[in-house]
Amino acid sequence: MLMKGLRGAAVVWLVFLAGCGTSTSTHAIKPAFPVVVPFAIDQAGSRVKVAFELPAAWDDGRLRPVFIGFRAVDKKGGDDAEFQAARQVMRYLDREPIPVRLRVWRLEGGRRVPVVLHELQRIVEADRSFYVPQESEILTHHYATTDDAEEMESAGYWQEGKIYYIHQFARIVPPTPGRYELEVESLASHPPLHGLRYELMVSHYHVKGIW
């Protein structure tokens, strides 16, 4: 549960295909980062394709880690019914798997080189967390996290009066600067999540020094 904001699309090209079959396309003047684009993750079959430029962002001599995830957008305040609806969404996000097909390529010399993403693994009994490479393009786990608030606000992705529930699917490891393409598809419908806006995001973390 994080109070962050709305930021506009930062993409070379974007194709959004909702489960209802509608489609739109948006073109930007130049590739940019961070990435925030519409993604109806609550609807089975919803797909997004996006290209972006990953910058060389350094922290203590190392490239800052980058995660791919999503955020639910809600408004602050509201009546009791809206509050209970928001709690239902938060409980669902905390407890339920959200399977997606996620693929990423790095563009090198005119070639699309597949990127092996790293997924967070937690051992609750041992109070340990670590990232492991995932050869499968199907991811089901997601964990609450924080984006780089200053970076997102500077990019125009913050809106007063909104609340953002941010979750990560995986990391790009290593976060090598350059051009990337990303495709994601929601593989299940989630009726308890209906009613809010959802967005795909690619971002640095809020707190520097996370490795």
Side-chain angles (χ1 to χ4, degrees), residues 106-113:
R106 178 174 161 77
L107 305 184
E108 297 180 355
R111 298 181 301 120
R112 299 169 82 221
V113 180

Side-chain angles (χ1 to χ4, degrees), residues 3 14 25 68 85 95 106 124 181:
M3 297 185 181
L14 163 69
S25 63
I68 300 170
R95 300 173 183 176
R106 178 174 161 77
V124 177
E181 291 182 0

Side-chain angles (χ1 to χ4, degrees), residues 39 88 107 122 142 181 197 205:
F39 178 35
Q88 180 183 21
L107 305 184
R122 286 179 173 170
H142 60 95
E181 291 182 0
R197 184 171 79 251
Y205 293 91

